[in-house]
Amino acid sequence: MTAKPIAALFAATLISTTCFSQASQPAIAEDFKPSTLNQPGQEYPQVNSQGYARFRIKAPLADSVRVSLGLGGRGGTILTKGEDGFWTGTTAGPMDEGFHYYNVTIDGGKFNDPGAKNYYGSVRWESGIEIPAHDQDFYALKDVPHGNVQQILFPSKSTGTPRRAFVYTPPGYEKDKSKKYPVLYLQHGWGEDETAWSNQGHANLIMDNLIAESKSKPFLIVMTYGMTNEVKFGKIREFKIEPFQTVLVDELIPYVDANFRTLTNRDNRAMAGLSMGGMETKMITLNKPDVFGYYGLLSGGVYAPEDLNGKTKPKLVFISCGSKERPDGVTKAATDLKAAGYNAVSYVSDKTAHEFLTWRRSLHEMAPLLFK
């Protein structure tokens, strides 16, 4: 996929992929409850059973307040000022299920919602809201054995700076000191960083639940900053993969292998990424086919048979997207790869777009297929 259509996919991340149903909507149910991502003790923002979001911001001296969430071509959600100095408003329609970034514009200035927790996206810490998904059980915090997510700081001679990554180790890693594990290197999208997959994506909870149900082989997940934000949005075609490829392949992987109990051969190493992280995955796996044995592009383009021809054959190619993205292209790509003799799997997330529920579901589908 060329940079231009890939860049079009990334745009949805910036506007929080606030997709509405186009059908006529029923009356709004007044059963709003605080979002699960609110700061302690904060009643707003709120979400109702239909997926509408309601906001309440105190700004008594402001002349205008607008929330970016609820764009849908209508300029966001415009709030109305009350006599008490609070501005209140409800999205014009129900939101897609799952996580959404948003911000608040007050008299032309961009701020975060003081009631919501913040998540790194769009190259800044943004407010976050969760629209409960009907299938949210697979990433829920349950009473099962849990792994750990730990921060590591590793040296990087190529950049001249220490760098950070987060490593998920599965339940039981600390108990059996003789056991070694495969590793998935999992990349975030443009505007995000190494915190995205744990905070917004719940990758650790997804894995804990899969392992508890004996649906996935235990493995490590390494999440690091992909240097995606070194290029401005709209100039994705100018992005050069070589600096990050050096950090990942020549610096981070050796550090992880030296400091964790890993299986260090190609067949026990995977790389996947969402959005621009998928673009990075494609570039690096094609450049370094002897390093990774499993590939995953989550709303991040596709592989064609000619991309892989003549290179060390991957053990799995996983390609996914939301049903509101380009599902036909994903399905066709997997079909073409299968016809060419590759083990390829496609997945389409129902009723989602370029957003984290698509990627949570994609990880949930991909993980059981890894390291077979």
Side-chain angles (χ1 to χ4, degrees):
M1 182 177 287
T2 63
K4 187 173 181 180
I6 289 176
L9 292 177
F10 301 153
T13 303
L14 289 178
I15 64 173
S16 304
T17 58
T18 54
C19 302
F20 295 98
S21 169
Q22 298 302 311
S24 59
Q25 301 298 336
I28 298 176
E30 291 300 326
D31 57 356
F32 285 86
K33 297 179 180 179
S35 166
T36 57
L37 303 186
N38 283 5
Q39 296 194 38
Q42 297 299 309
E43 290 295 312
Y44 287 85
Q46 297 186 347
V47 179
N48 78 351
S49 58
Q50 300 162 306
Y52 287 81
R54 179 168 290 172
F55 307 92
R56 191 167 188 258
I57 307 291
K58 186 176 182 179
L61 301 181
D63 292 319
S64 66
V65 179
R66 177 176 61 83
V67 174
S68 63
L69 196 66
L71 284 164
R74 290 177 281 275
T77 299
I78 298 174
L79 308 191
T80 301
K81 187 177 183 180
E83 293 182 359
D84 57 0
F86 283 89
W87 295 74
T88 307
T90 305
T91 55
M95 308 302 302
D96 281 357
E97 296 178 346
F99 174 87
H100 299 276
Y101 300 107
Y102 72 98
N103 56 69
V104 181
T105 299
I106 302 177
D107 290 349
K110 183 184 289 187
F111 304 93
N112 286 352
D113 186 335
K117 293 179 182 178
N118 297 331
Y119 299 83
Y120 198 78
S122 303
V123 202
R124 65 185 297 271
W125 289 94
E126 294 251 274
S127 301
I129 192 170
E130 185 80 23
I131 309 300
H134 70 279
D135 59 346
Q136 62 186 347
D137 185 70
F138 76 87
Y139 56 85
L141 176 59
K142 300 180 183 180
D143 185 14
V144 300
H146 293 289
N148 293 309
V149 177
Q150 61 182 286
Q151 173 183 278
I152 61 170
L153 301 173
F154 64 98
S156 170
K157 291 183 179 179
S158 67
T159 63
T161 61
R163 305 190 71 84
R164 183 173 74 161
F166 288 93
V167 180
Y168 166 81
T169 52
Y173 179 85
E174 299 299 332
K175 294 182 179 180
D176 185 354
K177 300 296 184 179
S178 65
K179 185 174 181 179
K180 295 184 177 183
Y181 295 84
V183 186
L184 165 63
Y185 288 83
L186 188 60
Q187 292 306 124
H188 59 83
W190 184 90
E192 297 167 342
D193 67 5
E194 62 272 24
T195 64
W197 267 109
S198 297
N199 291 351
Q200 294 94 290
H202 301 314
N204 55 317
L205 298 181
I206 292 171
M207 289 305 305
D208 290 345
N209 294 336
L210 284 171
I211 293 168
E213 296 169 2
S214 299
K215 292 181 178 179
S216 175
K217 189 172 184 177
F219 54 82
L220 274 63
I221 301 179
V222 179
M223 300 156 280
T224 196
Y225 173 52
M227 303 169 72
T228 53
N229 308 337
E230 313 305 305
V231 59
K232 292 184 178 180
F233 186 78
K235 295 187 177 181
I236 302 299
R237 285 174 289 182
E238 298 177 8
F239 179 74
K240 303 297 183 184
I241 194 61
E242 289 78 15
F244 176 58
Q245 179 174 286
T246 298
V247 169
L248 177 66
V249 176
D250 298 338
E251 297 169 344
L252 178 56
I253 290 177
Y255 182 91
V256 169
D257 287 343
N259 289 276
F260 292 85
R261 299 193 313 275
T262 62
L263 296 167
T264 60
N265 61 328
R266 171 186 181 270
D267 289 351
N268 284 288
R269 191 181 295 124
M271 184 175 182
L274 69 88
S275 194
M276 190 172 177
M279 184 181 82
E280 291 183 315
T281 296
K282 181 178 178 179
M283 290 177 173
I284 292 175
T285 53
L286 294 181
N287 289 343
K288 300 287 184 176
D290 293 326
V291 175
F292 301 96
Y294 296 79
Y295 308 166
L297 307 183
L298 320 181
S299 302
V302 299
Y303 292 96
E306 53 268 29
D307 295 329
L308 305 173
N309 186 37
K311 301 179 184 295
T312 306
K313 193 172 185 179
K315 296 181 71 67
L316 171 72
V317 176
F318 181 90
I319 310 172
S320 71
C321 71
S323 63
K324 298 181 181 181
E325 296 187 272
R326 298 177 179 176
D328 292 344
V330 163
T331 303
K332 182 180 184 302
T335 299
D336 292 345
L337 288 169
K338 288 177 184 178
Y342 294 96
N343 179 23
V345 175
S346 64
Y347 170 72
V348 176
S349 170
D350 187 43
K351 298 178 182 178
T352 59
H354 202 71
E355 53 200 347
F356 256 102
L357 186 52
T358 296
W359 306 322
R360 291 172 182 171
R361 288 173 174 171
S362 295
L363 177 60
H364 182 255
E365 295 295 320
M366 179 180 69
L369 305 177
L370 297 178
F371 312 119
K372 293 291 189 178

